[in-house]
């Protein structure tokens, strides 16, 4: 998982935005903290990479001058403590700089993504309450197999799905469609 943020923003706003998205990620885990750890019977935490954007701007350079070159890594260190043990935030904030000859942290980011992808594979079950809706979606997709994409609005308005959508609530269904593809 990667969280991307605008590094031009003030540090207090950056902290609040990162806390918001990490809290959202953490809230989606129903696994108690004691289940995470290094033991054979324990789960690995969700690995998160934090990526700064707009690091090639004057506003970001001013922020570095004001707070020091390690200010983002220091900020993330406090977040690591706050969200452990269920979320493992990489110790380095990746700061791509597309104006730099070497791309800034682009090579490091690419390596970190490859490492995270090779070790952090999780399979999430679809909530059982969505099963009736998913069966409708599958039937519609099968009936319209020639269509490259079935629009979410079409699905939500479809007569066969309307009952499931009404029972679950449109926001729940939309969020699940977006999350699960």
């Amino acid at each position: 998982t990667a969280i991307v943020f605008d590094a031009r923003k003030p540090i207090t706003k950056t902290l609040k935005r990162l806390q918001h998205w990490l809290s959202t990620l953490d809230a989606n885990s129903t696994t108690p903290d004691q289940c995470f750890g290094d033991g054979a019977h324990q789960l690995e935490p969700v690995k998160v990479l934090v990526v700064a954007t707009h690091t090639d701007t004057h506003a970001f350079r001013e922020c570095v001058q004001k707070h020091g070159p390690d200010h983002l890594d220091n900020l993330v260190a406090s977040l690591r403590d706050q969200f452990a043990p269920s979320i493992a935030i990489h110790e380095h904030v990746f700061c791509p700089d597309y104006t730099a000859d070497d791309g800034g942290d682009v090579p490091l980011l690419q390596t970190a993504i490859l490492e995270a992808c090779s070790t952090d594979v999780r399979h999430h079950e679809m909530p059982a309450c969505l099963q009736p809706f998913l069966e409708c979606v599958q039937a519609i997709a099968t009936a319209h197999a020639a269509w490259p994409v079935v629009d979410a609005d079409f699905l939500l308005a479809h007569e066969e799905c309307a009952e499931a959508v009404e029972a679950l609530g449109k926001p729940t269904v939309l969020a699940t469609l977006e999350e699960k593809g």
Side-chain angles (χ1 to χ4, degrees), residues 7-8 54-68 71 97 99:
R8 298 174 297 180
H54 301 92
T55 57
D56 55 349
T57 64
H58 179 70
F60 176 72
R61 287 189 287 280
E62 283 182 343
C63 200
V64 170
Q65 287 177 342
K66 181 177 179 181
H67 299 288
H71 75 285
D97 181 351
T99 63

Side-chain angles (χ1 to χ4, degrees), residues 14-66:
T14 296
L15 176 62
K16 286 179 183 176
R17 296 309 304 154
L18 290 172
Q19 285 173 325
H20 167 79
W21 289 114
L22 289 164
S23 293
T24 300
L25 181 63
D26 197 35
N28 284 317
S29 172
T30 57
T31 308
D33 282 351
Q34 62 267 27
C35 294
F36 294 95
D38 295 330
H41 64 286
Q42 293 178 307
L43 299 171
E44 284 190 46
V46 174
K47 295 176 183 143
V48 174
L49 306 176
V50 179
V51 182
T53 63
H54 301 92
T55 57
D56 55 349
T57 64
H58 179 70
F60 176 72
R61 287 189 287 280
E62 283 182 343
C63 200
V64 170
Q65 287 177 342
K66 181 177 179 181

Side-chain angles (χ1 to χ4, degrees), residues 137 139-156 158:
V137 171
I140 293 168
T142 301
H144 301 285
W147 296 359
V149 176
V150 178
D151 183 71
D153 288 332
F154 173 81
L155 291 174
L156 295 175
H158 198 278

